[in-house]
Amino acid sequence: NQIYSWGRCDNYQLGKEIKFNDSKIVNGQKVVLSPILVYEFKDEISSIYSGKSHTLILLKNKKVYGWGDNNKQQIYPYTHHDKNSDFTQYFVANCREITPLSEFNFTQLKTGWTFSSGISNGNEVIIWGSLERIYYDDSKKTDDFIKDVLYEDFLSITPENIMSVTNIAVGFDHLLILSNDNKLFSFGNNSYVRNILQFRGNVVWK
């Protein structure tokens, strides 16, 4: 249950605040070339997922830990920031429990480029972060440009008329939901595979 990380560290990607002398500059980027111990958990780890500059860890006991850049609210929405905490809402430099996420009792977590998603209690899909390519909304669309959508809270996108969610899959800017009766729902950017997927959570396969 030990977590190690390495690579770029210019935006708190490694889960541990890195001093300049402990890093190197490679191609103009601040990096750590050897694995460093980030955190040792007492409880068993269920899954680990990383986006562009953030990482979320789901434990078997349903607690969620994370770190990284939060400028798109991809770790947690600002409205859930504890003003008495010892860290800023804009980033989480060191691995720590993300209490607003632990409260959902997630059974599964997935991260996109600048957003995150999870299955809460087996029957509700929650997303948060930068959702301009995931949650399509005509009011946010101007010609072919969709304005950046930063929801100030968690958003439920659970399809109607399903008993439970079996699995979710996340790509760069799309999300798929598989229900218990083997229906597949899609959300997100369809610019590369036209006329197959839709933006609004339609059933695309069953």
Side-chain angles (χ1 to χ4, degrees):
N1 291 321
Q2 293 179 332
I3 298 294
Y4 289 81
S5 63
W6 60 93
R8 283 184 60 178
C9 57
D10 53 351
N11 210 12
Y12 310 101
Q13 296 99 317
L14 300 188
K16 191 172 184 178
E17 204 157 6
I18 305 298
K19 296 180 180 179
F20 184 81
N21 292 337
D22 295 329
S23 64
K24 297 182 180 296
I25 302 298
V26 178
N27 294 326
Q29 306 290 341
K30 181 181 175 183
V31 299
V32 171
L33 298 178
S34 300
I36 58 171
L37 178 63
V38 175
Y39 203 89
E40 184 170 1
F41 294 94
K42 296 180 180 179
D43 297 293
E44 188 177 352
I45 296 170
S46 176
S47 61
I48 304 172
Y49 285 94
S50 294
K52 177 185 177 183
S53 299
H54 75 292
T55 297
L56 296 178
I57 297 176
L58 178 63
L59 303 183
K60 291 286 188 180
N61 62 9
K62 305 297 181 63
K63 289 185 178 180
V64 179
Y65 283 69
W67 66 80
D69 181 21
N70 196 40
N71 70 339
K72 297 285 188 179
Q73 305 182 56
Q74 60 266 52
I75 299 178
Y76 66 94
Y78 294 160
T79 53
H80 293 267
H81 181 69
D82 182 359
K83 296 181 179 179
N84 296 319
S85 64
D86 58 353
F87 63 98
T88 177
Q89 62 187 1
Y90 302 110
F91 60 84
V92 180
N94 296 295
C95 178
R96 64 171 65 232
E97 182 180 2
I98 310 300
T99 305
L101 301 187
S102 295
E103 293 174 350
F104 275 102
N105 291 315
F106 284 120
T107 57
Q108 189 178 133
L109 279 177
K110 297 289 174 66
T111 54
W113 191 242
T114 54
F115 71 97
S116 300
S117 61
I119 303 175
S120 176
N121 295 314
N123 58 8
E124 185 176 17
V125 179
I126 307 294
I127 58 175
W128 60 97
S130 180
L131 310 178
E132 72 270 23
R133 296 300 188 104
I134 302 301
Y135 188 69
Y136 187 76
D137 184 343
D138 285 334
S139 67
K140 302 293 182 180
K141 188 174 186 296
T142 304
D143 296 326
D144 292 327
F145 175 73
I146 302 174
K147 298 177 183 177
D148 190 37
V149 181
L150 288 174
Y151 281 87
E152 296 297 325
D153 210 334
F154 298 103
L155 179 67
S156 173
I157 59 169
T158 310
E160 296 180 355
N161 301 320
I162 64 172
M163 293 295 295
S164 64
V165 177
T166 302
N167 205 351
I168 53 176
V170 170
F172 177 81
D173 51 9
H174 72 286
L175 182 146
L176 300 176
I177 299 173
L178 180 64
S179 67
N180 65 313
D181 55 354
N182 291 324
K183 291 180 180 178
L184 184 65
F185 299 81
S186 67
F187 294 80
N189 182 11
N190 188 39
S191 59
Y192 297 103
V193 188
R194 296 188 184 278
N195 301 322
I196 296 179
L197 306 182
Q198 297 296 323
F199 286 101
R200 304 177 187 277
N202 295 342
V203 178
V204 294
W205 175 86
K206 62 180 179 179

